[in-house]
Amino acid sequence: WLEFFYQGKENICCVGDDDQSIYSWRGADVTNLLNFEKNFSKPEIIRLEQNYRSTKNILKCASTLIKKNDGRYGKKLWSNNMEGDKIIISGFWQTKEESIFVSDKIEKLLSKKVPLKEIAILFRVAAHTRSFEERFINLGLPYKIIGGLRFYERKEIKDIIAYLRLINNFNDDLAFERIINTPKRGIGKTTLGKINTIARKYNISLLEASEKMLNDSESKINLELKDFLFKLHKWFGLKNKLNHIELTELILDDSKYIDYLETEEKNLKNPNNINRLENIKEFIESLKDFENLEGFLEHVSLVMENISNTSRETITLMTMHAAKGLEFDYVFLAGWEEGVFPSKRSIEESGKIGLEEERRLAYVALTRARKKIHITYVNQNRYSYASHDFNIPSRFIEELPKDSINHSDSSYINDNNFINNFTEIDYLQDEHISPGRKRLLTNIQNKDIDWDFNQDHEYIEESNILFQKGSRVFHKKYGYGKILKFDGKTVNVQFEKSDQKKIFLKYLQFID
């Protein structure tokens, strides 16, 4: 269309920022900007390089980071604003510590009369708002989510909670109505109408009315209904034999709810379904904070009451994508872990192109702030039930200029400090350290291992197993091989009957 209207008349003006192209999943293509010179004859390029929003230090960090991208025109941002504070990097063992740290910082800002509307928390994954939401509710801090729903208001979360409510109480008709055909079981409005009629006539619950319906002819719909009721009774019978986490996972599996989301995502290419799957993982993680199902459901009911009471001025929570075009004085960038940000999925699907778009997203996130930025990451895997599953900080943290950032004191201790300070603090008593890591440190202390941080003496732990360079491993597809090199959570393996491959450690079996 543009070429048609243009027709060589040299009367076209394009405004855009190649460093902020972050919507490829919506069809955006940064090459439309990068190829503008080729598609239209000799355009004049005017770089708008003065920034009126951020401090010089924030601009330096953002500029240094984005220079790593090849696909860009390039520009030198500058500002007449003050130098400003350094970006603070903080790491934590668990998501709960992360949300406590951020909320404490926010409360200090509020004590200095900083308006709530000038504070924002940005996430790569929408599901990660959950721990912050619960923390703010507990503290009575008002918040809003831009471009999305609060965690417990999201459809997939309401669906799972409805399953759990019904298993906990067979008389919960609202929960029954929500899940009877979710995922679709061929039980439509007509059937549900008949069930409602029976329930009113006999003054019984919808579940009991459904059982009455089964006395009718064995139609296909009745067979679907029979299967649904059978599963409900099965889950109810296991309620006191399984813990609430195991019960939830069983329900998701038996109901084929996860399959339903994955099929939708595959067929419709709907990016929202990727978020829904992440939300479900986060939901299962949230169950760990409660002793039983009843305690969790009581908590949810209180949460739903609290979130309806919000003031006009709030803290803002949103994804980095939703933040484009907005600005705040104080910005907290949460979840900067490798695999989360940059997204493992983006890199696996699009390679370097995907990584560069993730870096542009980091650039957008950094340049939302006027005055100060905190970046946080969590050492323990957000979706792990065991303390030995570790994340590493995002590569984007390493790409920031060292003289413009400060690493704050926090509960996270990196491997170098872990070893160098070993004689000063008895880390073996730390409850967060897994058995495998304790064995490693014990060997170091006993001089059984000569620890060195070079490639020849590299150790990494996965699923409580210590791998090292030269370890023999087995892969279901490629067979036996030997580890050659480590790269975060992945390793290069030379397989005996195949070429060298880059494999995630979790897919390898250690061979003694």
Side-chain angles (χ1 to χ4, degrees), residues 61-278:
C61 286
S63 297
T64 303
L65 181 80
I66 201 64
K67 280 179 184 176
K68 299 284 183 181
N69 276 7
D70 293 329
R72 60 192 297 262
Y73 278 111
K75 56 182 178 289
K76 294 180 181 178
L77 293 180
W78 62 276
S79 174
N80 284 327
N81 294 341
M82 66 175 108
E83 196 70 28
D85 294 335
K86 292 184 177 183
I87 290 177
I88 308 298
I89 314 291
S90 305
F92 305 92
W93 279 109
Q94 297 174 327
T95 55
K96 187 179 290 187
E97 292 179 7
E98 182 185 43
S99 60
I100 290 172
F101 170 83
V102 171
S103 63
D104 286 350
K105 291 293 181 185
I106 288 174
E107 288 191 310
K108 287 178 182 177
L109 290 174
L110 296 180
S111 70
K112 296 176 182 177
K113 308 300 182 185
V114 173
L116 284 170
K117 65 181 181 179
E118 293 300 344
I119 302 170
I121 309 174
L122 310 186
F123 307 86
R124 175 62 180 88
V125 179
H128 294 169
T129 65
R130 196 268 312 171
S131 61
F132 291 86
E133 289 187 63
E134 295 201 348
R135 177 69 179 165
F136 292 159
I137 288 168
N138 289 337
L139 294 175
L141 290 173
Y143 69 93
K144 64 182 176 184
I145 294 181
I146 300 294
L149 297 168
R150 295 167 185 262
F151 186 77
Y152 290 109
E153 293 176 324
R154 296 167 190 172
K155 179 186 181 302
E156 59 279 6
I157 303 304
K158 283 185 171 182
D159 289 344
I160 302 169
I161 291 174
Y163 272 101
L164 295 174
R165 280 171 44 200
L166 187 58
I167 298 307
N168 193 56
N169 176 14
F170 273 179
N171 293 320
D172 192 330
D173 288 346
L174 286 176
F176 182 91
E177 279 192 287
R178 183 176 187 93
I179 66 170
I180 188 172
N181 201 37
T182 306
K184 294 190 183 303
R185 300 183 175 91
I187 304 172
K189 291 182 180 179
T190 303
T191 303
L192 191 55
K194 291 177 181 178
I195 294 171
N196 270 292
T197 300
I198 295 170
R200 285 194 299 271
K201 181 178 180 180
Y202 295 97
N203 196 25
I204 56 178
S205 70
L206 293 181
L207 192 148
E208 291 173 304
S210 301
E211 290 172 337
K212 266 188 170 295
M213 268 192 65
L214 293 179
N215 295 325
D216 293 346
S217 60
E218 290 287 311
S219 66
K220 180 185 176 184
I221 290 176
N222 277 344
L223 289 174
E224 295 282 1
L225 184 59
K226 186 176 182 179
D227 179 63
F228 176 60
L229 294 175
F230 169 80
K231 286 175 180 173
L232 287 177
H233 283 283
K234 170 189 169 183
W235 299 330
F236 182 80
L238 292 170
K239 188 178 76 162
N240 296 322
K241 296 178 183 178
L242 302 175
N243 66 45
H244 53 302
I245 297 172
E246 293 168 332
L247 180 64
T248 303
E249 290 176 326
L250 177 65
I251 291 171
L252 287 168
D253 187 43
D254 278 357
S255 67
K256 297 188 173 8
Y257 193 88
I258 299 293
D259 293 344
Y260 150 71
L261 287 183
E262 288 178 338
T263 301
E264 262 202 347
E265 191 260 313
K266 193 179 297 181
N267 293 341
L268 302 177
K269 298 293 182 185
N270 184 355
N272 288 331
N273 277 24
I274 301 171
N275 294 334
R276 286 172 185 160
L277 292 167
E278 296 289 347

Side-chain angles (χ1 to χ4, degrees), residues 378-433:
V378 174
N379 182 234
Q380 189 180 51
N381 191 297
R382 292 176 186 269
Y383 303 132
S384 170
Y385 301 122
S387 63
H388 57 259
D389 195 357
F390 292 98
N391 288 320
I392 59 174
S394 168
R395 69 186 73 187
F396 296 152
I397 292 175
E398 284 298 311
E399 293 174 1
L400 297 174
K402 300 295 182 288
D403 59 348
S404 297
I405 62 175
N406 274 334
H407 289 269
S408 73
D409 293 330
S410 67
S411 60
Y412 174 75
I413 304 165
N414 65 37
D415 276 335
N416 287 282
N417 290 334
F418 215 83
I419 305 305
N420 294 337
N421 298 329
F422 187 74
T423 56
E424 299 176 22
I425 303 174
D426 187 5
Y427 290 119
L428 293 180
Q429 302 303 315
D430 193 324
E431 63 179 2
H432 295 298
I433 301 174

Side-chain angles (χ1 to χ4, degrees), residues 334-474:
W336 281 44
E337 300 120 31
E338 196 68 17
V340 174
F341 189 51
S343 162
K344 171 186 165 187
R345 184 187 183 102
S346 294
I347 295 174
E348 286 180 346
E349 290 184 353
S350 305
K352 183 182 177 183
I353 293 173
L355 175 60
E356 292 209 346
E357 177 147 336
E358 291 288 296
R359 192 175 281 113
R360 291 195 292 271
L361 187 55
Y363 173 85
V364 168
L366 290 167
T367 52
R368 297 311 92 201
R370 298 190 192 101
K371 295 181 179 179
K372 189 160 186 173
I373 296 174
H374 282 272
I375 294 175
T376 62
Y377 60 93
V378 174
N379 182 234
Q380 189 180 51
N381 191 297
R382 292 176 186 269
Y383 303 132
S384 170
Y385 301 122
S387 63
H388 57 259
D389 195 357
F390 292 98
N391 288 320
I392 59 174
S394 168
R395 69 186 73 187
F396 296 152
I397 292 175
E398 284 298 311
E399 293 174 1
L400 297 174
K402 300 295 182 288
D403 59 348
S404 297
I405 62 175
N406 274 334
H407 289 269
S408 73
D409 293 330
S410 67
S411 60
Y412 174 75
I413 304 165
N414 65 37
D415 276 335
N416 287 282
N417 290 334
F418 215 83
I419 305 305
N420 294 337
N421 298 329
F422 187 74
T423 56
E424 299 176 22
I425 303 174
D426 187 5
Y427 290 119
L428 293 180
Q429 302 303 315
D430 193 324
E431 63 179 2
H432 295 298
I433 301 174
S434 67
R437 179 63 64 94
K438 285 184 179 180
R439 286 199 304 274
L440 172 60
L441 293 174
T442 302
N443 287 334
I444 296 166
Q445 191 178 46
N446 296 338
K447 306 301 182 185
D448 294 333
I449 294 177
D450 180 19
W451 183 267
D452 191 354
F453 287 97
N454 57 45
Q455 289 295 325
D456 293 329
H457 299 84
E458 191 165 9
Y459 290 78
I460 195 164
E461 183 183 351
E462 180 74 19
S463 301
N464 205 21
I465 296 170
L466 290 175
F467 291 86
Q468 59 179 307
K469 186 176 176 181
S471 291
R472 195 160 185 260
V473 292
F474 176 78

Side-chain angles (χ1 to χ4, degrees), residues 477-480 493-501:
K477 182 176 180 181
Y478 303 115
Y480 293 95
V493 179
Q494 180 60 60
F495 289 100
E496 294 172 6
K497 296 183 178 180
S498 180
D499 298 331
Q500 188 181 135
K501 306 284 184 186

